[in-house]
Amino acid sequence: DAGVIQSPRHEVTEMGQEVTLRCKPISGHDYLFWYRQTMMRGLELLIYFNNNVPIDDSGMPEDRFSAKMPNASFSTLKIQPSEPRDSAVYFCASSQGNQETQYFGPGTRLLVL
Amino acid sequence: KQEVTQIPAALSVPEGENLVLNCSFTDSAIYNLQWFRQDPGKGLTSLLLIQSSQREQTSGRLNASLDKSSGRSTLYIAASQPGDSATYLCAVSGGGGNKLVFGAGTILRVKS
């Protein structure tokens, strides 16, 4: 398997623009997670899905952030409008089953100017 | 609210040395604990997962222990190599077992 795939790997945008991050989980995995990593706050869970259904979005910082999982092989994290403080590395991870090892993608490095 | 602390924040050792990384957590009601490795500019790689009912897990030169009652875990690396240089992250799960809370990590440098 190719592992968790994320695109784009790098994104530079201007404040106020819409940003869409994409993730393809490992085939057969039924859990998908979105994390954000910054120097100040470390790694934080934003939201996770089970069988395409959002289970816990308590980590989503504000209404500007939204995530969807239209099918088992694709998820998006959208920021609209983006702000400079959203600059971070965004990771997607997936796992097979509850409480199992999470496998991380390479991340998307986002810079909002 | 669960808090995870990792000590030390950074560690530099000569090649071949055995070393221990420490992780502590404030809420002992966890489902499992995972150790990850992160190389610069890369994603996380899972090293070991210890279920709450287990005391330790081993993989090659790595051994992780868990003392849930005291809220502590250690990652032991035997015969360290320059290729072990990376940031090591500890994470505990609660809230249904899937909500990982991460420590800030230990930056390890193994000198050749």
Side-chain angles (χ1 to χ4, degrees):
Chain A
D1 200 312
V4 175
I5 300 173
Q6 292 187 245
S7 64
R9 294 293 310 277
H10 302 273
E11 177 82 24
V12 180
T13 190
E14 292 187 346
M15 182 175 61
Q17 296 297 307
E18 177 180 294
V19 175
T20 299
L21 311 181
R22 298 173 176 79
C23 175
K24 176 179 170 53
I26 293 173
S27 177
H29 283 193
D30 54 351
Y31 284 84
L32 184 139
F33 308 84
W34 282 101
Y35 291 90
R36 179 172 68 176
Q37 186 175 39
T38 61
M39 288 294 292
M40 290 296 295
R41 301 175 65 91
L43 258 170
E44 302 173 289
L45 176 66
L46 299 177
I47 185 172
Y48 78 91
F49 296 81
N50 175 219
N51 291 323
N52 314 336
V53 176
I55 302 301
D56 190 327
D57 65 354
S58 59
M60 297 286 262
E62 45 195 284
D63 292 345
R64 298 184 296 105
F65 286 70
S66 62
K68 294 182 180 179
M69 192 165 186
N71 58 63
S73 59
F74 183 66
S75 176
T76 60
L77 178 67
K78 186 175 293 186
I79 308 173
Q80 166 64 19
S82 58
E83 297 182 3
R85 59 193 169 118
D86 302 331
S87 298
V89 181
Y90 291 80
F91 288 104
C92 175
S94 69
S95 70
Q96 185 175 38
N98 192 27
Q99 304 171 27
E100 295 300 326
T101 299
Q102 296 184 21
Y103 295 87
F104 281 69
T108 294
R109 191 171 297 271
L110 173 65
L111 177 61
V112 183
L113 302 174
Chain B
K1 178 185 173 186
Q2 179 74 270
E3 293 183 1
V4 180
T5 302
Q6 291 188 244
I7 294 174
L11 182 63
S12 182
V13 301
E15 182 177 5
E17 194 163 296
N18 302 326
L19 57 98
V20 175
L21 308 181
N22 297 290
C23 172
S24 62
F25 46 95
T26 55
D27 186 349
S28 62
I30 65 170
Y31 286 87
N32 60 48
L33 182 145
Q34 297 183 52
W35 283 94
F36 293 86
R37 167 186 174 139
Q38 185 174 27
D39 292 283
K42 301 289 180 63
L44 279 69
T45 301
S46 179
L47 298 173
L48 291 164
L49 181 150
I50 311 176
Q51 299 291 354
S52 61
S53 58
Q54 297 175 319
R55 298 283 294 185
E56 66 177 337
Q57 282 285 341
T58 297
S59 176
R61 294 183 293 109
L62 306 179
N63 176 275
S65 68
L66 174 63
D67 184 341
K68 205 173 79 161
S69 61
S70 68
R72 294 182 181 182
S73 175
T74 61
L75 178 67
Y76 175 82
I77 302 177
S80 59
Q81 303 171 357
D84 295 330
S85 298
T87 297
Y88 290 80
L89 294 152
C90 165
V92 298
S93 69
N98 290 297
K99 295 186 67 171
L100 288 181
V101 177
F102 282 83
T106 294
I107 302 171
L108 173 65
R109 181 187 173 205
V110 180
K111 299 172 288 185
S112 58

CSV table of all heavy atoms in Angstrom, one decimal, chain A residues 78-106:
chain,number,residue,atom,x,y,z
A,78,LYS,N,-11.0,22.2,4.9
A,78,LYS,CA,-11.1,23.4,4.2
A,78,LYS,C,-11.0,24.6,5.2
A,78,LYS,O,-11.5,24.5,6.3
A,78,LYS,CB,-12.4,23.5,3.4
A,78,LYS,CG,-12.5,24.8,2.6
A,78,LYS,CD,-13.8,24.7,1.7
A,78,LYS,CE,-13.8,23.6,0.7
A,78,LYS,NZ,-15.0,23.6,-0.2
A,79,ILE,N,-10.2,25.6,4.8
A,79,ILE,CA,-10.1,26.8,5.7
A,79,ILE,C,-10.6,28.0,4.8
A,79,ILE,O,-10.1,28.3,3.7
A,79,ILE,CB,-8.7,27.1,6.1
A,79,ILE,CG1,-8.1,25.8,6.8
A,79,ILE,CG2,-8.7,28.2,7.1
A,79,ILE,CD1,-6.6,26.0,7.1
A,80,GLN,N,-11.6,28.7,5.3
A,80,GLN,CA,-12.2,29.8,4.5
A,80,GLN,C,-12.8,30.8,5.5
A,80,GLN,O,-13.8,30.5,6.2
A,80,GLN,CB,-13.3,29.3,3.5
A,80,GLN,CG,-14.2,30.3,2.9
A,80,GLN,CD,-13.4,31.3,2.0
A,80,GLN,OE1,-12.3,31.1,1.6
A,80,GLN,NE2,-14.1,32.5,1.8
A,81,PRO,N,-12.3,32.0,5.5
A,81,PRO,CA,-11.1,32.5,4.9
A,81,PRO,C,-9.9,32.2,5.7
A,81,PRO,O,-9.9,32.0,6.9
A,81,PRO,CB,-11.4,34.0,4.9
A,81,PRO,CG,-12.1,34.3,6.1
A,81,PRO,CD,-13.0,33.1,6.3
A,82,SER,N,-8.8,32.0,5.1
A,82,SER,CA,-7.5,31.7,5.8
A,82,SER,C,-6.9,33.0,6.4
A,82,SER,O,-7.1,34.1,6.0
A,82,SER,CB,-6.5,31.1,4.8
A,82,SER,OG,-6.2,32.0,3.8
A,83,GLU,N,-6.2,32.7,7.5
A,83,GLU,CA,-5.5,33.8,8.3
A,83,GLU,C,-4.1,33.4,8.5
A,83,GLU,O,-3.8,32.1,8.5
A,83,GLU,CB,-6.2,34.1,9.6
A,83,GLU,CG,-7.6,34.6,9.4
A,83,GLU,CD,-8.3,34.9,10.8
A,83,GLU,OE1,-7.6,34.8,11.8
A,83,GLU,OE2,-9.5,35.3,10.7
A,84,PRO,N,-3.2,34.3,8.7
A,84,PRO,CA,-1.8,34.0,9.0
A,84,PRO,C,-1.6,33.0,10.1
A,84,PRO,O,-0.7,32.2,10.1
A,84,PRO,CB,-1.1,35.4,9.3
A,84,PRO,CG,-1.9,36.3,8.5
A,84,PRO,CD,-3.3,35.8,8.6
A,85,ARG,N,-2.4,33.1,11.2
A,85,ARG,CA,-2.2,32.2,12.3
A,85,ARG,C,-2.6,30.7,12.0
A,85,ARG,O,-2.4,29.8,12.8
A,85,ARG,CB,-3.1,32.7,13.5
A,85,ARG,CG,-4.6,32.8,13.2
A,85,ARG,CD,-5.2,33.6,14.4
A,85,ARG,NE,-6.6,33.9,14.0
A,85,ARG,CZ,-7.6,33.5,14.7
A,85,ARG,NH1,-7.5,32.8,15.8
A,85,ARG,NH2,-8.9,33.9,14.4
A,86,ASP,N,-3.2,30.5,10.8
A,86,ASP,CA,-3.5,29.1,10.4
A,86,ASP,C,-2.2,28.4,9.8
A,86,ASP,O,-2.3,27.2,9.5
A,86,ASP,CB,-4.6,29.1,9.3
A,86,ASP,CG,-5.8,29.8,9.8
A,86,ASP,OD1,-6.1,29.7,11.0
A,86,ASP,OD2,-6.6,30.3,8.9
A,87,SER,N,-1.1,29.2,9.6
A,87,SER,CA,0.1,28.6,9.1
A,87,SER,C,0.6,27.5,10.0
A,87,SER,O,0.7,27.7,11.2
A,87,SER,CB,1.2,29.7,9.0
A,87,SER,OG,0.8,30.7,8.1
A,88,ALA,N,0.8,26.3,9.5
A,88,ALA,CA,1.1,25.1,10.3
A,88,ALA,C,1.3,24.0,9.3
A,88,ALA,O,1.2,24.1,8.1
A,88,ALA,CB,0.0,24.8,11.2
A,89,VAL,N,1.7,22.8,9.9
A,89,VAL,CA,1.7,21.6,9.1
A,89,VAL,C,0.5,20.8,9.5
A,89,VAL,O,0.2,20.6,10.6
A,89,VAL,CB,3.0,20.7,9.3
A,89,VAL,CG1,3.0,19.5,8.5
A,89,VAL,CG2,4.2,21.5,9.1
A,90,TYR,N,-0.3,20.4,8.5
A,90,TYR,CA,-1.5,19.7,8.7
A,90,TYR,C,-1.3,18.2,8.3
A,90,TYR,O,-0.9,17.9,7.1
A,90,TYR,CB,-2.7,20.3,7.9
A,90,TYR,CG,-3.1,21.6,8.4
A,90,TYR,CD1,-2.3,22.8,8.1
A,90,TYR,CD2,-4.2,21.8,9.3
A,90,TYR,CE1,-2.7,24.0,8.6
A,90,TYR,CE2,-4.5,23.0,9.8
A,90,TYR,CZ,-3.8,24.1,9.4
A,90,TYR,OH,-4.1,25.4,10.0
A,91,PHE,N,-1.6,17.3,9.2
A,91,PHE,CA,-1.4,15.9,9.0
A,91,PHE,C,-2.7,15.2,8.9
A,91,PHE,O,-3.7,15.5,9.7
A,91,PHE,CB,-0.6,15.3,10.1
A,91,PHE,CG,0.9,15.6,10.1
A,91,PHE,CD1,1.4,16.5,11.0
A,91,PHE,CD2,1.8,15.0,9.2
A,91,PHE,CE1,2.7,16.9,11.0
A,91,PHE,CE2,3.1,15.4,9.2
A,91,PHE,CZ,3.6,16.3,10.1
A,92,CYS,N,-2.8,14.2,8.0
A,92,CYS,CA,-3.9,13.3,8.0
A,92,CYS,C,-3.4,11.9,8.4
A,92,CYS,O,-2.2,11.6,8.1
A,92,CYS,CB,-4.5,13.2,6.6
A,92,CYS,SG,-5.8,12.0,6.3
A,93,ALA,N,-4.2,11.2,9.2
A,93,ALA,CA,-3.8,9.8,9.6
A,93,ALA,C,-5.0,8.9,9.5
A,93,ALA,O,-6.1,9.4,9.5
A,93,ALA,CB,-3.3,9.9,11.1
A,94,SER,N,-4.7,7.6,9.4
A,94,SER,CA,-5.8,6.7,9.3
A,94,SER,C,-5.5,5.4,10.2
A,94,SER,O,-4.3,5.2,10.4
A,94,SER,CB,-6.2,6.3,7.9
A,94,SER,OG,-5.1,5.5,7.3
A,95,SER,N,-6.5,4.7,10.6
A,95,SER,CA,-6.3,3.5,11.3
A,95,SER,C,-7.4,2.5,11.0
A,95,SER,O,-8.5,2.9,10.5
A,95,SER,CB,-6.3,3.8,12.8
A,95,SER,OG,-7.6,4.1,13.3
A,96,GLN,N,-7.1,1.2,11.3
A,96,GLN,CA,-8.0,0.2,11.0
A,96,GLN,C,-8.6,-0.3,12.4
A,96,GLN,O,-7.9,-1.0,13.1
A,96,GLN,CB,-7.4,-1.0,10.3
A,96,GLN,CG,-8.4,-2.1,9.9
A,96,GLN,CD,-7.7,-3.1,9.0
A,96,GLN,OE1,-6.5,-3.5,9.2
A,96,GLN,NE2,-8.4,-3.6,8.0
A,97,GLY,N,-9.8,0.1,12.7
A,97,GLY,CA,-10.3,-0.4,14.0
A,97,GLY,C,-10.1,0.7,15.1
A,97,GLY,O,-9.3,1.6,14.9
A,98,ASN,N,-10.9,0.5,16.1
A,98,ASN,CA,-10.8,1.4,17.3
A,98,ASN,C,-9.6,1.2,18.1
A,98,ASN,O,-9.1,0.1,18.3
A,98,ASN,CB,-12.1,1.2,18.1
A,98,ASN,CG,-12.3,2.3,19.1
A,98,ASN,OD1,-11.9,3.4,18.9
A,98,ASN,ND2,-12.9,1.9,20.2
A,99,GLN,N,-8.9,2.2,18.6
A,99,GLN,CA,-7.8,2.2,19.4
A,99,GLN,C,-6.6,1.5,18.8
A,99,GLN,O,-5.8,0.9,19.5
A,99,GLN,CB,-8.2,1.4,20.7
A,99,GLN,CG,-9.4,2.0,21.5
A,99,GLN,CD,-9.8,1.2,22.6
A,99,GLN,OE1,-9.0,0.4,23.2
A,99,GLN,NE2,-11.1,1.2,23.0
A,100,GLU,N,-6.5,1.5,17.5
A,100,GLU,CA,-5.4,0.9,16.8
A,100,GLU,C,-4.3,1.9,16.4
A,100,GLU,O,-4.6,3.1,16.4
A,100,GLU,CB,-5.9,0.1,15.6
A,100,GLU,CG,-6.8,-1.1,16.0
A,100,GLU,CD,-6.1,-2.1,16.9
A,100,GLU,OE1,-4.8,-2.3,16.7
A,100,GLU,OE2,-6.7,-2.7,17.8
A,101,THR,N,-3.2,1.4,15.9
A,101,THR,CA,-2.1,2.3,15.5
A,101,THR,C,-2.6,3.2,14.4
A,101,THR,O,-3.3,2.8,13.5
A,101,THR,CB,-1.0,1.4,15.0
A,101,THR,OG1,-0.5,0.6,16.0
A,101,THR,CG2,0.2,2.3,14.4
A,102,GLN,N,-2.2,4.5,14.5
A,102,GLN,CA,-2.6,5.5,13.5
A,102,GLN,C,-1.4,5.7,12.6
A,102,GLN,O,-0.2,5.8,13.0
A,102,GLN,CB,-2.9,6.8,14.2
A,102,GLN,CG,-4.2,6.7,15.0
A,102,GLN,CD,-4.7,8.0,15.6
A,102,GLN,OE1,-4.3,9.1,15.1
A,102,GLN,NE2,-5.5,8.0,16.6
A,103,TYR,N,-1.6,5.7,11.3
A,103,TYR,CA,-0.6,5.8,10.3
A,103,TYR,C,-0.7,7.2,9.7
A,103,TYR,O,-1.8,7.6,9.2
A,103,TYR,CB,-0.7,4.8,9.2
A,103,TYR,CG,-0.5,3.4,9.7
A,103,TYR,CD1,-1.5,2.6,10.3
A,103,TYR,CD2,0.8,2.8,9.7
A,103,TYR,CE1,-1.3,1.4,10.8
A,103,TYR,CE2,1.0,1.5,10.2
A,103,TYR,CZ,0.0,0.8,10.8
A,103,TYR,OH,0.2,-0.4,11.3
A,104,PHE,N,0.4,8.0,9.7
A,104,PHE,CA,0.3,9.4,9.3
A,104,PHE,C,0.8,9.6,7.9
A,104,PHE,O,1.7,8.9,7.4
A,104,PHE,CB,1.2,10.2,10.2
A,104,PHE,CG,0.6,10.5,11.5
A,104,PHE,CD1,0.4,9.5,12.5
A,104,PHE,CD2,0.2,11.8,11.8
A,104,PHE,CE1,-0.3,9.8,13.7
A,104,PHE,CE2,-0.4,12.1,13.1
A,104,PHE,CZ,-0.6,11.1,14.0
A,105,GLY,N,0.2,10.6,7.2
A,105,GLY,CA,0.7,11.0,5.9
A,105,GLY,C,1.9,11.9,6.1
A,105,GLY,O,2.2,12.3,7.2
A,106,PRO,N,2.4,12.4,5.0
A,106,PRO,CA,3.6,13.2,5.0
A,106,PRO,C,3.3,14.7,5.5
A,106,PRO,O,4.3,15.4,5.8
A,106,PRO,CB,4.2,13.2,3.6
A,106,PRO,CG,3.0,12.9,2.8
A,106,PRO,CD,2.1,12.0,3.6
